Amino acid sequence: MDVEADLSALQEYLEVEGIDGYCIDDDATDSDQRYVSGFTAPDPYQTVVTGDGVHLLVSGLEYGRADADANADSVTRRAAYDYQNLAAEYGRYGAKIRALEAFLADHDVESVAVPRNFPTGTADGLRERGLTVTVEPDGIVEGIRATKTEWEIDRIATTQRANEAAMATAEELIAEADVDDGVLVHDGDPLTSERVKEEIEITLLRHGCGLDETIVACGADGADPHDRGSGPLRADELIVIDIFPRDKESGYFGDLTRTFARGDPDEEAQRRYEVTERAFEAALETVEAGVTGAAVHDAACDVIEEAGYETLRSDPSTETGFIHSTGHGVGLDIHEEPSVSPAGGELEAGHVITIEPGIYDPAVGGVRIEDLVVVTAEGYDNLTDYPVALEPVSE
Amino acid sequence: MDVEADLSALQEYLEVEGIDGYCIDDDATDSDQRYVSGFTAPDPYQTVVTGDGVHLLVSGLEYGRADADANADSVTRRAAYDYQNLAAEYGRYGAKIRALEAFLADHDVESVAVPRNFPTGTADGLRERGLTVTVEPDGIVEGIRATKTEWEIDRIATTQRANEAAMATAEELIAEADVDDGVLVHDGDPLTSERVKEEIEITLLRHGCGLDETIVACGADGADPHDRGSGPLRADELIVIDIFPRDKESGYFGDLTRTFARGDPDEEAQRRYEVTERAFEAALETVEAGVTGAAVHDAACDVIEEAGYETLRSDPSTETGFIHSTGHGVGLDIHEEPSVSPAGGELEAGHVITIEPGIYDPAVGGVRIEDLVVVTAEGYDNLTDYPVALEPVSE
């Protein structure tokens, strides 16, 4: 299962630095671990990458599944290093270090590079037993992960399909609500942010996706890009809906934002929607392999600044206007490489990125429009198929 | 929000060892970080515990919320250490280390103890800048977390209420299914493990809880305690349902297992159910502050062995019978201290533990019965209110 990772850049690094192996000691909630091992387990396991390939050290409980499923050249169970007896003599931690040491020795590894988040307990334990442990400073695995295979793009597209279904559920609830005294009402009760989020989550669940958090933020709530939103949704106001689900099976995320308004949003709100949509389109038009993330971000800033709103480019301390970056990579993490921001380097074919400019002001509310696209040699393929419109429509 | 942690054991350790502070560098998915800081954030932040109290270093984005919500004696934003300029000069990692160094210096910390999973990148970075970094070997914070406050017990009980509602949903589906050619049928379709899990999850969601995985395992699937179960549920066979949701707001878990059978389970299956129920009751009767987890585990083993089944105590290599431990602590992690196993030390008032013996054999299926209880001076309070019966009942 999972992606067949091309780790040659990592292996080159090891060769150039004269380091024997690259080691990860984590559970599969660490996306580098999941990606490199092609395996998921709830408890920590150890992966070492050498010039020979990828090798896993797992508990007996996980061995059968790892041997069958992992993208590894070899899988070893800890029992091969007499783990139970070691645990009786040295405790679980002492046994873990000794089993890992023996496993590394079996793969001729005396020096290891490790990611920044590698456990200090393991690093110091190996050092005490004579191994050299060096932190790999450039995040090579994150760099490899940024470029998706066809298989990964299919997985992300599948999650985005579920995401569109969830957005449609939310849009329909808002479109069909009655308006009573300025508040949206559904089935006799005020339609709240919480209620819409619950229906989003149920739709995702029925499509095999989960999510930790989602944003349904009305009015001033929506003007803070990190506010999840709460309470009754109101007519005539901007409602930002940002959904970032994860497929439970594949682990790949989707990401989608739309902004709606029921009733009669004022002219300034409508204008901001139109400017955001133009910035969104300008950024999309810029996307192409070889262009920098910074250039894509600049394209969005140009439109927004020309329309008279601040950006972090025109005023680094502004708290209104366009106050975040244009996008980010999406994969096994919801935020990953590459960056579509002033710091964003060259985009490459196979990068999967969001394009999501927005304009914010507590006095007016927030607007954000976001699609998820894959960078190609000629431009991009849009992984999103969802209309862009301020007025919510019921199917 | 969150628990007011009693960190005196940690502060004593620092004093005895002559170490200035205890530092955590993680996001709130790390339960020690969440517990000690009384704060949650999706990106890593730094907590240091000194003799003076708990101090947080957070990004500007999180400062307002941390200052209002965290159980901290002080909250500092990274900008206080000129983080943006440091990042421009040294990169994000170099800036993080330098800001953390300055923050620690402000709290007179030149030597830090860290948990085993502390990032090696941060540890080595601080060491290069002259600080002493030592791994704290005993898991003192996990030990502190094992004893729950009244507030925490209320949170766990709330999650367990949601869990009971989810179990009732599952039981009802099974009770109301028709039987067609040995297979349970609901609304004309075979009632599958997947369908029951989806309804469990939707019920939990409506109660503010989420879960990553749940077990609905029929027949031979149920004989492997780690099998999540799949496919149509069958009549006359044992169906193990194990649900371990987490409250989205509080972060506290619940845990509940019942075993059901529709139709006519054979005599051996019924006998195993009765023996498991007796082992469950015997273990519960043993629970009391001052008794060891090992003694509680022994009480369950006694009943199961006397009935003629193997346990890991009678045969450490057995693959059938009672092949796991009797229970574990539950809190911000689904598996935490203390252990109710051969390695289990003295139970203390305020420990929240599962009691969950089971008997397994692929030829017969699996039985497991599990409640969640809080240890008291006189025995225990059961946080679970759910009938124990093999035959499923519809309300």
Side-chain angles (χ1 to χ4, degrees):
Chain A
M1 71 177 198
D2 281 19
V3 65
E4 198 75 53
D6 174 7
L7 301 173
S8 51
L10 184 62
Q11 289 167 319
E12 238 167 77
Y13 163 82
L14 294 174
E15 176 132 10
V16 169
E17 297 291 324
I19 298 174
D20 301 330
Y22 180 83
C23 186
I24 305 178
D25 173 20
D26 214 325
D27 59 40
T29 59
D30 180 77
S31 295
D32 286 358
Q33 174 69 295
R34 181 172 185 156
Y35 184 87
V36 170
S37 65
F39 184 59
T40 63
D43 294 313
Y45 55 97
Q46 291 79 41
T47 301
V48 67
V49 180
T50 66
D52 282 348
V54 178
H55 309 284
L56 263 60
L57 180 63
V58 302
S59 73
L61 202 63
E62 302 292 358
Y63 177 77
R65 216 164 48 79
D67 196 44
D69 292 350
N71 285 329
D73 298 280
S74 78
V75 178
T76 306
R77 62 189 104 197
R78 290 194 302 211
Y81 303 110
D82 210 20
Y83 177 77
Q84 290 303 334
N85 284 331
L86 288 172
E89 191 165 350
Y90 301 105
R92 279 170 54 191
Y93 170 70
K96 173 187 168 164
I97 298 297
R98 283 168 174 81
L100 178 55
E101 179 194 8
F103 166 73
L104 292 172
D106 271 356
H107 292 286
D108 298 320
V109 171
E110 288 172 10
S111 56
V112 287
V114 299
R116 284 218 172 97
N117 67 353
F118 191 79
T120 302
T122 308
D124 286 3
L126 291 175
R127 285 164 175 161
E128 275 164 29
R129 304 191 63 75
L131 283 87
T132 306
V133 180
T134 320
V135 173
E136 186 279 299
D138 297 323
I140 293 173
V141 176
E142 284 92 329
I144 294 172
R145 280 173 46 209
T147 304
K148 271 68 180 176
T149 64
E150 282 303 315
W151 183 90
E152 289 183 285
I153 291 168
D154 280 353
R155 298 289 82 68
I156 295 168
T158 299
T159 309
Q160 194 72 336
R161 291 293 85 73
N163 205 348
E164 291 156 5
M167 185 65 79
T169 302
E171 180 173 357
E172 206 164 311
L173 276 170
I174 292 169
E176 290 179 353
D178 298 316
V179 177
D180 183 11
D181 207 14
V183 170
L184 303 194
V185 173
H186 187 269
D187 285 344
D189 289 319
L191 182 62
T192 58
S193 166
E194 289 81 356
R195 174 72 200 283
V196 175
K197 287 190 255 188
E198 192 173 299
E199 296 304 323
I200 287 170
E201 197 161 348
I202 288 171
T203 304
L204 290 171
L205 203 149
R206 297 210 185 273
H207 285 78
C209 292
L211 85 177
D212 282 337
E213 296 197 279
T214 192
I215 295 173
V216 177
C218 179
D221 283 357
D224 174 354
H226 287 86
D227 195 314
R228 286 8 184 156
S230 61
L233 302 176
R234 295 178 301 280
D236 312 332
E237 295 200 23
L238 296 164
I239 303 170
V240 179
I241 303 185
D242 187 348
I243 316 178
F244 32 103
R246 186 178 209 189
D247 186 280
K248 290 188 177 200
E249 187 70 24
S250 74
Y252 284 86
F253 280 90
D255 203 349
L256 174 63
T257 304
R258 289 293 182 266
T259 302
F260 301 107
R262 272 294 301 277
D264 222 4
D266 69 25
E267 263 181 48
E268 176 57 23
Q270 292 187 47
R271 177 165 190 268
R272 284 167 184 236
Y273 190 90
E274 284 152 23
V275 172
T276 302
E277 187 172 354
R278 278 195 284 124
F280 168 77
E281 282 165 3
L284 275 178
E285 272 164 34
T286 313
V287 172
E288 185 182 329
V291 168
T292 64
V296 176
H297 180 65
D298 278 335
C301 289
D302 288 345
V303 173
I304 292 170
E305 289 170 17
E306 273 162 32
Y309 302 105
E310 297 288 357
T311 71
L312 289 174
R313 187 180 72 174
S314 62
D315 175 5
S317 70
T318 184
E319 294 183 351
T320 62
F322 182 28
I323 52 176
H324 53 71
S325 58
T326 295
H328 53 83
V330 171
L332 287 172
D333 283 327
I334 180 61
H335 293 122
E336 59 178 48
E337 294 296 313
S339 174
V340 187
S341 76
E346 229 172 70
L347 296 175
E348 294 173 23
H351 281 174
V352 170
I353 57 172
T354 68
I355 296 296
E356 50 175 315
I359 305 178
Y360 309 88
D361 188 330
V364 185
V367 180
R368 184 164 63 256
I369 301 170
E370 175 187 37
D371 275 2
L372 187 62
V373 308
V374 54
V375 179
T376 65
E378 298 79 30
Y380 64 92
D381 290 334
N382 200 326
L383 300 176
T384 317
D385 179 17
Y386 204 92
V388 176
L390 181 57
E391 193 184 334
V393 178
S394 171
E395 285 198 356
Chain B
M1 73 176 197
D2 283 18
V3 65
E4 198 73 53
D6 174 6
L7 301 173
S8 51
L10 184 62
Q11 290 167 318
E12 240 168 75
Y13 162 82
L14 295 173
E15 176 132 12
V16 168
E17 298 290 324
I19 298 174
D20 301 332
Y22 179 84
C23 185
I24 304 178
D25 173 20
D26 214 326
D27 60 39
T29 60
D30 181 77
S31 295
D32 286 358
Q33 175 69 297
R34 181 172 185 156
Y35 184 88
V36 170
S37 65
F39 184 60
T40 63
D43 294 313
Y45 56 99
Q46 291 78 42
T47 301
V48 67
V49 180
T50 65
D52 281 350
V54 177
H55 309 285
L56 262 60
L57 179 63
V58 302
S59 73
L61 201 64
E62 302 292 358
Y63 177 77
R65 216 163 47 81
D67 195 44
D69 292 351
N71 285 327
D73 298 279
S74 78
V75 178
T76 306
R77 62 188 105 196
R78 290 195 301 211
Y81 303 110
D82 209 21
Y83 178 79
Q84 290 302 336
N85 286 331
L86 287 173
E89 190 164 352
Y90 302 105
R92 279 171 55 192
Y93 170 71
K96 171 186 168 164
I97 297 297
R98 284 167 174 81
L100 178 55
E101 180 194 8
F103 167 73
L104 291 172
D106 271 356
H107 292 286
D108 298 321
V109 171
E110 290 172 7
S111 57
V112 287
V114 299
R116 282 216 174 98
N117 66 354
F118 191 80
T120 302
T122 309
D124 286 3
L126 291 175
R127 285 165 175 161
E128 276 165 26
R129 303 192 64 76
L131 282 86
T132 306
V133 180
T134 319
V135 174
E136 185 278 299
D138 297 323
I140 293 172
V141 176
E142 285 91 328
I144 294 171
R145 281 173 45 209
T147 304
K148 271 69 181 177
T149 64
E150 281 304 315
W151 183 90
E152 291 185 282
I153 292 167
D154 280 353
R155 300 288 82 69
I156 295 169
T158 299
T159 309
Q160 193 73 338
R161 292 293 84 72
N163 206 348
E164 291 155 6
M167 184 65 79
T169 302
E171 179 173 357
E172 206 165 309
L173 277 170
I174 293 169
E176 290 178 353
D178 297 317
V179 177
D180 183 11
D181 206 15
V183 169
L184 302 195
V185 173
H186 187 268
D187 285 344
D189 289 319
L191 181 63
T192 59
S193 166
E194 289 81 355
R195 174 70 200 283
V196 175
K197 286 191 257 191
E198 191 172 301
E199 295 305 323
I200 286 170
E201 197 160 348
I202 288 171
T203 304
L204 289 171
L205 202 149
R206 297 212 185 271
H207 284 80
C209 292
L211 85 178
D212 282 336
E213 297 198 279
T214 192
I215 295 173
V216 177
C218 179
D221 283 358
D224 174 354
H226 287 86
D227 194 315
R228 284 10 182 151
S230 61
L233 302 176
R234 295 178 301 280
D236 311 331
E237 295 200 26
L238 296 164
I239 302 170
V240 179
I241 303 185
D242 187 347
I243 317 177
F244 32 102
R246 185 179 209 189
D247 187 279
K248 291 189 175 199
E249 186 72 23
S250 74
Y252 284 86
F253 280 90
D255 203 350
L256 174 63
T257 305
R258 289 293 182 267
T259 303
F260 300 107
R262 271 296 300 277
D264 223 2
D266 68 27
E267 261 180 51
E268 177 56 23
Q270 292 187 46
R271 179 167 189 267
R272 284 166 183 237
Y273 191 89
E274 283 153 24
V275 172
T276 302
E277 186 171 356
R278 278 194 284 123
F280 169 76
E281 282 165 3
L284 276 178
E285 272 164 36
T286 312
V287 171
E288 186 181 330
V291 168
T292 64
V296 176
H297 180 65
D298 278 335
C301 290
D302 288 345
V303 172
I304 292 171
E305 289 171 17
E306 274 162 31
Y309 302 105
E310 297 289 358
T311 72
L312 289 174
R313 186 180 72 174
S314 63
D315 174 6
S317 70
T318 185
E319 294 184 350
T320 62
F322 182 27
I323 52 177
H324 54 69
S325 58
T326 296
H328 54 82
V330 170
L332 287 171
D333 285 326
I334 180 61
H335 293 122
E336 59 178 46
E337 295 294 315
S339 173
V340 186
S341 75
E346 228 172 72
L347 297 175
E348 295 173 22
H351 282 174
V352 170
I353 56 172
T354 68
I355 296 295
E356 50 174 316
I359 305 178
Y360 308 88
D361 188 332
V364 184
V367 180
R368 185 165 62 255
I369 300 170
E370 174 187 39
D371 275 3
L372 187 61
V373 308
V374 52
V375 179
T376 65
E378 299 80 30
Y380 64 92
D381 290 334
N382 200 327
L383 300 176
T384 317
D385 179 18
Y386 204 91
V388 176
L390 181 58
E391 193 184 334
V393 178
S394 171
E395 285 197 358

